[in-house]
Amino acid sequence: MSRWQPDARERLERAALELFADQGFGETTVPQITARAGLTTRTFFRHFADKKEVLFANEIDVPALAAQMIAAAPAELTPMQIISGGLEAVAAAQFSSGVDYVVARKAVIESDEGLRERELHKQSALASAIAQSFVARGVDELEATLTAHLTVTVFSVSIGRWLDQNGAVPLPELLHETLAALRGIMVDASWNS
């Protein structure tokens, strides 16, 4: 094996995802990943702290991105206008790897309790960052919290629909469609009686 592999990280990610899908996350070892990638265990640990990091290391910091977008938004926009305007940017940044990778990754995460817990923690961190960012803009804490949780729900439902349709409909379109459906539910006159 050569000392320097320019595509080592990608090879390790690809090998890990294949092994996780074939034999399960818990049953896959780092030496198996490195053997499949044709690299050393030492190389693995230069790129990842552990095998969980293979699934989470490339994710952008969505809470930080959301906080930046909220802070930079014009003062006259409402929280939901800010969220609506930022959906496409976050989708483009987070899901640029394509639907096949996201489907495979999701299957691995759903197969392991610890990975599912980590994914839920990510959603909670996103909701917290959104709420705190709106409060910092002067939004009432209740409105900020509701907007944050609704945003996370819109993303979760939209991503699920995108994966179910195998990416046939662009994710930004599904995000806006899901948000529009939520708006319709919220203004439903029968809900107010």
Side-chain angles (χ1 to χ4, degrees):
M1 284 180 248
S2 69
R3 292 177 71 59
W4 183 74
Q5 299 286 336
D7 61 345
R9 185 178 183 92
E10 293 79 16
R11 287 170 50 194
L12 288 165
E13 289 172 347
R14 195 170 39 252
L17 198 55
E18 289 170 2
L19 286 167
F20 295 158
D22 291 346
Q23 62 190 34
F25 176 80
E27 290 73 25
T28 299
T29 65
V30 170
Q32 290 172 327
I33 294 168
T34 57
R36 176 153 308 181
L39 298 166
T40 65
T41 303
R42 187 174 177 181
T43 301
F44 179 91
F45 288 111
R46 274 193 217 122
H47 293 280
F48 306 103
D50 57 34
K51 66 181 184 177
K52 283 182 185 178
E53 285 303 308
V54 175
L55 295 169
F56 296 98
N58 285 336
E59 294 188 338
I60 63 161
D61 189 351
V62 176
L65 177 61
Q68 272 181 326
M69 289 172 30
I70 292 166
E76 67 274 6
L77 294 181
T78 68
M80 288 311 290
Q81 287 172 324
I82 294 169
I83 294 302
S84 181
L87 293 175
E88 290 182 38
V90 173
Q94 184 66 28
F95 297 100
S96 61
S97 57
V99 70
D100 292 336
Y101 172 81
V102 178
V103 167
R105 181 183 173 279
K106 181 180 182 214
V108 171
I109 289 171
E110 287 180 352
S111 72
D112 183 85
E113 184 177 343
L115 297 175
R116 287 191 308 270
E117 185 176 310
R118 182 162 178 173
E119 192 74 7
L120 288 172
H121 177 72
K122 275 182 16 188
Q123 291 177 2
S124 177
L126 176 58
S128 179
I130 292 170
Q132 290 171 8
S133 298
F134 280 126
V135 168
R137 283 178 64 95
V139 174
D140 171 74
E141 189 170 344
L142 177 59
E143 184 180 351
T145 301
L146 285 170
T147 301
H149 285 278
L150 289 172
T151 301
V152 171
T153 299
V154 166
F155 267 98
S156 180
V157 169
S158 299
I159 292 163
R161 293 176 66 216
W162 182 61
L163 295 175
D164 288 346
Q165 297 175 25
N166 205 26
V169 177
L171 182 55
E173 186 177 324
L174 291 172
L175 285 161
H176 287 291
E177 189 178 286
T178 304
L179 186 57
L182 176 63
R183 282 188 188 117
I185 292 168
M186 300 307 294
V187 298
D188 182 350
S190 64
W191 215 46
N192 296 324
S193 53

